[in-house]
């Protein structure tokens, strides 16, 4: 008697995960090409999507890129959830997050860019790109935490009357 876990392990062993990556990449690329209506021909969109799907699968086989992408996506989901909690917290305190975002868009964009860059480095992409980071992961996390606390304190210090 086999378990579902054995079934999935056997499917992975025969390359079913690569087929799913190929199919998903074709669907995404075809959808994007259809949305922007380029090229005009449906068959040309299909050929471009299939060729791109094969290139993505070839890049996925034998390289650490899929693991890096998986780490980046899971980290960005966690960071997005944290940003959602921050927005909820600010709204509960009476601070309008939309107004706050429009007032401090440049600083927030720099902060988000720095976080994405550190996630990119922390995901293992530094092993592909020859970038040397002399800080440990704990040091980077501590610096990010201190910058985040300083940013929040700066926002609270600049707001008047609870954001009203």
């Amino acid at each position: 008697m086999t378990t579902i876990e054995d079934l999935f392990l056997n499917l992975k062993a025969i390359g079913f995960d690569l087929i799913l990556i190929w199919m998903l990449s074709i669907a995404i690329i075809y959808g994007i090409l259809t949305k922007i209506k380029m090229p005009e021909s449906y068959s040309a969109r299909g050929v471009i999507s299939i060729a791109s799907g094969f290139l993505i699968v070839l890049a996925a086989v034998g390289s650490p890129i899929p693991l890096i992408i998986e780490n980046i996506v899971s980290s960005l989901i966690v960071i997005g959830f944290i940003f959602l909690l921050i927005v909820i917290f600010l709204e509960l305190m009476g601070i309008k997050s939309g107004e706050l975002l429009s007032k401090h868009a440049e600083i927030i964009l720099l902060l988000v860019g720095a976080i994405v860059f550190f996630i990119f480095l922390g995901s293992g992409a530094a092993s592909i790109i020859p970038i040397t980071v002399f800080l440990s992961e704990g040091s980077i996390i501590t610096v990010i935490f201190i910058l985040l606390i300083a940013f929040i304190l700066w926002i609270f210090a600049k707001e008047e009357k609870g954001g009203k």
Side-chain angles (χ1 to χ4, degrees):
M1 179 152 61
T2 61
T3 62
I4 293 178
E5 181 182 4
D6 292 334
L7 173 70
F8 287 125
L9 288 174
N10 288 335
L11 285 174
K12 185 173 175 78
I14 62 172
F16 190 69
D17 56 340
L18 294 176
I19 293 171
L20 290 177
I21 290 172
W22 181 68
M23 289 171 54
L24 181 63
S25 62
I26 287 174
I28 290 171
I29 293 169
Y30 188 81
I32 291 171
L33 290 175
T34 302
K35 182 72 176 170
I36 63 173
K37 296 181 174 124
M38 283 195 59
E40 291 286 326
S41 169
Y42 290 111
S43 59
R45 293 178 196 165
V47 169
I48 291 170
S49 300
I50 291 171
S52 300
F54 277 118
L55 289 173
I56 290 170
V57 169
L58 287 175
V61 175
S63 72
I65 293 175
L67 182 63
I68 292 170
I69 291 172
E70 179 182 336
N71 290 337
I72 289 173
V73 168
S74 61
S75 298
L76 287 176
I77 288 172
V78 170
I79 296 297
F81 183 70
I82 290 171
F83 281 148
L84 180 64
L85 289 176
I86 290 172
V87 167
I88 291 171
F89 179 70
L90 290 174
E91 292 287 336
L92 287 174
M93 292 182 60
I95 300 171
K96 303 292 181 195
S97 58
E99 294 173 5
L100 187 68
L101 180 63
S102 63
K103 278 187 197 176
H104 309 292
E106 298 87 13
I107 295 170
I108 293 173
L109 184 63
L110 286 174
L111 179 67
V112 169
I115 289 172
V116 168
F117 178 72
F118 285 126
I119 287 173
F120 178 74
L121 289 180
S123 69
S127 64
I128 293 176
I129 301 171
I131 297 175
T132 306
V133 178
F134 296 109
L135 297 173
S136 68
E137 288 181 22
S139 300
I140 291 174
I141 291 171
T142 304
V143 168
I144 291 173
F145 181 74
I146 290 171
L147 289 175
L148 182 64
I149 295 299
F151 177 71
I152 291 172
L153 289 175
W154 177 70
I155 288 174
F156 286 147
K158 284 195 77 143
E159 287 296 321
E160 298 139 10
K161 299 179 187 172
K164 295 179 184 172

